[in-house]
Amino acid sequence: MAVAELHGGGIAEHVHPEPHGFIRKYIFSIDHKIIGLQYMITAFIFLVMGGMLAELIRVQLMSPHGTLVSNDTFDELYSVHGSTMVWLVIIPMLTGAFGNFVFPVQIGARDVAFPWLNMASFWMFPPAGLMLYGSFLMGAPTAGWTEYPPMSLQGAPGTSMWCAAIFLIGVSSTLTGINFLVTLLRMRAPGMTLTRMPLFCWAQLATAPLLMIATTALGAALAALFIERQFGVPFYDPTRGGSPLLWQHMFWFYSHPAVYIMILPAFGMISEIIPTFARKPIFGYRMIAFSSVAIALLGFMVWAHHMFTSGLSPALQLAFMLLTMTIAIPTGIKIFSWVATLWGGKIHFTTAMLFATGFIVTFTIGGLTGVYLAAVPFDLHAHGTYFIVAHLHYVLVGGSLMGIFAGMYFWFPKMTGRFMNETLGKWHFWLFMIGFNGTFIPMHWIGLLGQPRRVATYDPQFWSSNFAASLFSFIMTFAILLFFVNALWSIRRGKPAGHNPWGARTLEWQIPSPMPYYNFKKVPMVFASPYHFSDPLPYRGLEGELDPSVPAPVPAGHH
Amino acid sequence: MAVAVAHDPSSGSGQAHGVDRLYAETRELRINGFLLFMVSDLVLFSSFIFAYLYLRQTGQGWPPPGISRLDVAFAAFNSVVLFGSGATMHFALENWKHGNFNKYAGWMLATIVLGAGFLSGQGYEYWTLYTKFHASWSGAGIFGASFFTLTGMHGFHVFMGICYLTILFLQTVGGVYTKQKYAGLTMGTLYWHFVDIIWVFLFSMFYLWQ
Amino acid sequence: MNQLQFEHIITIIGAIVVFLAASVALKNDWKTPGLENQVFKLMLFLLAVGSVLAFLAAMGVIGSWKGSA
């Protein structure tokens, strides 16, 4: 970066003109913060829809021969539930919403590298969601969120709609990844070297290439499935020379990196929240940062551990098993670094911190079952059972969603200038913890005992555990409802928070809340890592940010 | 970014040229973004190439029964047409950098014509395959799935490239770019070279290895 | 001169021309700085490789002539 010429009128100094009118401000906005909030609201709407599907599933499973829905409808429910949660909730929430809202400010930029492209990425997202739900009108996909052929080849017409919807959201993800990567590498404020970036930015830096590369591979797989379904070109149909295993390879080459897309930004958020509320520098900054990159790289080399029962050669199975287990090392480094950050800290258990510490516990449980499942002999036994369901929900709900809630309580004051209600927040946390664990712990043992996933009925011996899981899932749903009530109430009536209620040290907390459209009146100069809580803030040039008498920067330059 | 500033002759005099520095840095951002777009496009091709190799080794031999060997002679001829367009595109950009508009225009038009020639050649090859062997996209088993999908996707990229270069040519005629500021032309050239080198791989894998 | 011979001759001449053009361009641009110029050089190199492949195919060294459509 051209540090020497701080105020030479380069891209760092470039300011968009102030947006006027509701449409330019809130609908077709090019401001990364507004786009982030758009992503967030849309993803929460889809969280509600996906959650309702989940509750329908749980109600159906309250008795061994549930009669709420037919078998085919049940297939549609879990397929669309999984697709919604993965592609329309967690990925957009962690990259589009929190990524857009937080990291450009954290690196001291005024916007992302390509603001118009950012807007285009967002506007592919709601149509993709509508297409996915529109598939219910013509028969939704029934082969699960993984849509393995040959079942997906025989699925209802909605399966093609599913392909198109996921392809569209994939294009959106790819463009977001390109945008974020260029922004992180090229738009940092003077003095913001890579190793002075907050860890959330490192998490996004590790995620962006995954979004860019892996999602394109999924796009190819989806395009081939669509072509085969609509035009009869045989890629996957074994009776015509194709190979169903080809889909599994192509799909998991995307979808295993995708699980890191769904967890790395959450790791980044936890790495911001824990030092802030432990009032201690993060332990092992470089190890946390580099382990994100290591996870991202390893993530590309482990996809076939989803295919141990699909007839891989034993040598390949062994290789993928060992590589998969290697991922536990960088993940363990993170967990221990967080625990070491807590050690001896002056911990404030705000709701955000409760969710962050809860994240460590539940994610570790999910991570441990992940190491079990990496072992071929165990996976052969547990594959396709509720044990998998328990594992993936522990990492996606106990990991990603807990991270999202932690981030919401943490950054809500930055979004709105007001706190969320802490009492309601603590109710939310405890009810969510009880409901979540109560729902998914029993699935471990009914899975080990052999209840298969994705089936609308089950052997009566599993009734008590399923019934308990359903009851606890209602508690979890109620907890999430509390969160929505809290958020909607706090937008207008929450306690005013000021610009930096948590005493956090990253750049976004040094400017007013909500953040002005230009982010910084003057681009700051950075001269140290943000985590040294006993030192003065490592920024220069922020004096006028909170002073209303200092004028807003004047838009300059072309476009 | 320092590289870009040094590379752009108009911003050499330092801080006084605020707008030029904005241009240089914006150009750097756009080119980086475009290169990343090309990386993801490369992944798209690689995924289909992976599918082709996978189907080829699990399938019934290659070329599959009922399909003749592909015509290497004609493909080599057609490849040279496309590779030639890569060379002319290079000359076009070089001449633009040196301010020779007329030579630039000639090479650019030659690129567009050669690109169109390649597409016609591919159309001729498809037509031959269809009329002689009844090979179609959906009716030729994994041959259709791999050969027609990949070459068709590449052909679509060539078609998009022709449209792209035509727009760029009209823009240069309309005076959108200057001798110093031609980021759009650079990206067009990158795209066209990208389409060329994808064909190097497709040519080797479909025609030279059968 | 039939179509095959015509194709042959054009291919061989064209491949040599493209190879020379790409090589000279590569030599001239060898020291240019900047990310996109590195990519340009890689692409020019692959272009030269491609023309060599086309040349060898036209000479009948690689690929096969038998049974062509």
Side-chain angles (χ1 to χ4, degrees):
Chain A
M1 303 294 285
V3 180
E5 297 173 38
L6 177 51
H7 296 293
I11 191 89
E13 295 285 294
H14 177 69
V15 183
H16 298 306
E18 186 178 1
H20 289 288
F22 183 78
I23 289 182
R24 290 302 302 277
K25 241 182 198 162
Y26 299 111
I27 310 289
F28 294 107
S29 173
I30 55 169
D31 180 347
H32 69 98
K33 302 175 289 292
I34 301 296
I35 294 173
L37 294 177
Q38 288 176 318
Y39 265 110
M40 189 168 288
I41 292 164
T42 319
F44 272 132
I45 291 171
F46 285 122
L47 177 70
V48 172
M49 298 176 76
M52 290 195 302
L53 296 178
E55 280 309 329
L56 287 176
I57 293 170
R58 282 320 319 169
V59 171
Q60 161 78 9
L61 294 176
M62 280 175 88
S63 71
H65 300 283
T67 48
L68 180 71
V69 292
S70 68
N71 288 356
D72 289 340
T73 313
F74 186 80
D75 293 349
E76 295 181 353
L77 292 182
Y78 66 71
S79 303
V80 178
H81 163 73
S83 308
T84 307
M85 291 306 191
V86 169
W87 284 298
L88 303 180
V89 178
I90 291 177
I91 292 179
M93 190 65 99
L94 288 174
T95 59
F98 281 102
N100 259 318
F101 188 81
V102 177
F103 93 79
V105 197
Q106 281 190 333
I107 61 171
R110 288 214 160 111
D111 206 323
V112 292
F114 309 109
W116 289 90
L117 188 68
N118 205 10
M119 178 178 89
S121 297
F122 170 72
W123 280 107
M124 289 177 202
F125 168 37
L130 290 180
M131 280 160 75
L132 179 63
Y133 277 84
S135 71
F136 273 116
L137 299 176
M138 51 180 91
T142 47
W145 78 284
T146 52
E147 288 297 317
Y148 278 6
M151 188 168 172
S152 58
L153 293 177
Q154 296 153 356
T159 311
S160 298
M161 190 70 138
W162 175 88
C163 290
I166 305 303
F167 189 88
L168 192 60
I169 195 84
V171 173
S172 158
S173 284
T174 308
L175 297 178
T176 303
I178 292 173
N179 210 343
F180 283 10
L181 197 54
V182 176
T183 309
L184 280 160
L185 293 178
R186 290 286 173 189
M187 305 269 287
R188 300 192 305 279
M192 177 69 82
T193 58
L194 281 176
T195 47
R196 285 177 193 165
M197 285 200 308
L199 285 165
F200 182 70
C201 301
W202 266 100
Q204 292 291 340
L205 184 64
T207 311
L210 297 182
L211 279 176
M212 203 184 88
I213 293 172
T215 314
T216 321
L218 175 73
L222 289 168
L225 183 62
F226 186 85
I227 290 168
E228 176 150 9
R229 284 180 51 88
Q230 297 304 117
F231 307 114
V233 181
F235 287 94
Y236 304 124
D237 184 352
T239 61
R240 299 174 63 205
S243 165
L245 268 184
L246 175 64
W247 166 267
Q248 297 189 17
H249 279 295
M250 289 170 85
F251 181 82
W252 288 116
F253 183 77
Y254 158 78
S255 288
H256 201 78
V259 309
Y260 300 114
I261 295 173
M262 291 187 272
I263 199 66
L264 283 174
F267 285 166
M269 299 200 289
I270 301 303
S271 308
E272 298 297 321
I273 293 166
I274 286 199
T276 302
F277 293 112
R279 317 305 303 167
K280 250 187 82 189
I282 186 94
F283 182 89
Y285 171 88
R286 276 168 197 253
M287 293 310 283
I288 295 185
F290 298 159
S291 64
S292 292
V293 179
I295 290 175
L297 288 177
L298 283 170
F300 278 112
M301 293 184 260
V302 298
W303 76 91
H305 66 218
H306 297 271
M307 300 162 58
F308 285 154
T309 56
S310 306
L312 290 182
S313 77
L316 268 181
Q317 289 186 343
L318 187 67
F320 277 106
M321 169 175 128
L322 292 176
L323 275 168
T324 305
M325 288 181 165
T326 323
I327 291 190
I329 297 169
T331 314
I333 287 173
K334 282 181 190 292
I335 304 273
F336 284 115
S337 296
W338 293 327
V339 174
T341 308
L342 290 171
W343 181 270
K346 191 164 180 286
I347 301 175
H348 297 256
F349 274 115
T350 59
T351 309
M353 185 63 166
L354 280 176
F355 271 103
T357 41
F359 171 97
I360 298 180
V361 176
T362 47
F363 179 78
T364 305
I365 297 174
L368 283 176
T369 51
V371 181
Y372 288 24
L373 289 168
V376 178
F378 185 84
D379 185 72
L380 294 180
H381 177 69
H383 192 94
T385 68
Y386 263 83
F387 193 86
I388 303 281
V389 178
H391 161 69
L392 75 92
H393 283 88
Y394 260 90
V395 286
L396 289 184
V397 182
S400 310
L401 194 61
M402 293 271 273
I404 288 167
F405 285 138
M408 279 304 292
Y409 284 96
F410 187 63
W411 276 295
F412 193 84
K414 200 38 44 187
M415 296 167 196
T416 60
R418 292 171 187 277
F419 285 105
M420 280 177 82
N421 184 302
E422 283 288 312
T423 316
L424 267 181
K426 278 167 187 159
W427 275 98
H428 169 205
F429 172 75
W430 288 109
L431 287 176
F432 186 79
M433 269 310 246
I434 293 166
F436 164 72
N437 284 298
T439 308
F440 294 107
I441 280 183
M443 292 188 187
H444 286 109
W445 59 75
I446 55 179
L448 283 179
L449 290 172
Q451 184 184 340
R453 66 194 282 210
R454 294 176 173 169
V455 182
T457 56
Y458 52 88
D459 192 296
Q461 62 163 314
F462 303 124
W463 172 77
S464 55
S465 296
N466 273 290
F467 190 73
S470 295
L471 289 186
F472 278 106
S473 79
F474 301 145
I475 298 178
M476 183 162 68
T477 306
F478 178 70
I480 295 175
L481 282 180
L482 274 187
F483 164 78
F484 283 123
V485 169
N486 192 350
L488 291 174
W489 184 82
S490 302
I491 288 173
R492 295 222 174 266
R493 299 208 171 74
K495 204 168 64 169
H499 75 287
N500 188 3
W502 315 121
R505 296 169 54 90
T506 43
L507 271 169
E508 80 271 31
W509 298 104
Q510 316 310 326
I511 59 176
S513 309
M515 297 184 269
Y517 65 92
Y518 46 80
N519 290 359
F520 302 97
K521 286 175 180 161
K522 208 171 142 201
V523 176
M525 180 111 173
V526 183
F527 53 89
S529 151
Y531 294 107
H532 301 289
F533 278 83
S534 51
D535 296 349
L537 284 173
Y539 311 113
R540 265 187 222 123
L542 288 171
E543 298 78 19
E545 296 299 337
L546 299 169
D547 182 354
S549 66
V550 177
V554 185
H558 55 237
H559 65 258
Chain B
M1 252 175 226
V3 173
V5 174
H7 187 61
D8 190 333
S10 61
S11 62
S13 55
Q15 301 190 359
H17 295 79
V19 176
D20 284 331
R21 180 167 162 199
L22 178 65
Y23 174 76
E25 293 187 0
T26 311
R27 173 187 180 281
E28 193 74 1
L29 289 182
R30 289 172 66 199
I31 297 227
N32 282 327
F34 195 79
L35 288 174
L36 290 178
F37 156 72
M38 279 167 36
V39 169
S40 62
D41 208 6
L42 184 66
V43 175
L44 189 66
F45 273 105
S46 312
S47 306
F48 276 108
I49 289 174
F50 170 79
Y52 155 58
L53 296 175
Y54 193 88
L55 292 175
R56 183 170 164 154
Q57 60 93 20
T58 50
Q60 324 90 324
W62 192 269
I67 307 286
S68 151
R69 302 174 79 95
L70 293 161
D71 182 350
V72 183
F74 183 74
F77 167 73
N78 212 15
S79 306
V80 166
V81 172
L82 189 65
F83 297 156
S85 80
T88 55
M89 190 67 220
H90 179 81
F91 296 144
L93 185 66
E94 285 299 310
N95 278 300
W96 180 269
K97 283 186 197 164
H98 294 104
N100 306 327
F101 182 82
N102 288 338
K103 282 189 179 174
Y104 152 80
W107 288 121
M108 191 74 164
L109 289 174
T111 310
I112 294 172
V113 168
L114 285 172
F118 171 80
L119 271 191
S120 330
Q122 216 181 17
Y124 170 73
E125 189 186 6
Y126 280 13
W127 182 70
T128 316
L129 281 170
Y130 184 70
T131 48
K132 282 196 181 161
F133 305 104
H134 306 289
S136 66
W137 197 21
S138 58
I142 58 170
F143 180 81
S146 45
F147 177 79
F148 282 118
T149 307
L150 266 168
T151 55
M153 202 166 84
H154 177 264
F156 181 70
H157 275 75
V158 175
F159 175 72
M160 293 309 287
I162 291 172
C163 298
Y164 189 3
L165 293 187
T166 310
I167 292 170
L168 282 176
F169 183 71
L170 295 177
Q171 283 186 325
T172 49
V173 170
V176 174
Y177 303 110
T178 65
K179 194 180 162 187
Q180 280 82 28
K181 301 185 175 180
Y182 53 91
L185 268 186
T186 311
M187 291 191 278
T189 313
L190 279 170
Y191 181 81
W192 193 258
H193 280 320
F194 172 76
V195 171
D196 274 358
I197 62 159
I198 290 291
W199 185 254
V200 175
F201 291 103
L202 295 187
F203 174 64
S204 325
M205 276 186 292
F206 279 116
Y207 297 94
L208 298 182
W209 175 39
Q210 19 181 347
Chain C
M1 192 163 75
N2 64 23
Q3 195 204 338
L4 193 64
Q5 282 170 323
F6 175 75
E7 277 174 16
H8 261 163
I9 291 166
I10 297 289
T11 309
I12 290 170
I13 295 173
I16 293 172
V17 170
V18 173
F19 179 76
L20 290 177
S23 310
V24 171
L26 198 56
K27 183 175 159 285
N28 289 342
D29 286 359
W30 193 250
K31 289 193 173 145
T32 47
L35 183 60
E36 81 271 17
N37 284 317
Q38 311 306 325
V39 178
F40 271 136
K41 280 179 256 178
L42 177 67
M43 287 168 157
L44 284 172
F45 171 73
L46 287 168
L47 198 60
V49 171
S51 55
V52 170
L53 290 175
F55 177 79
L56 292 176
M59 297 295 280
V61 180
I62 50 176
S64 170
W65 297 101
K66 278 172 286 177
S68 52

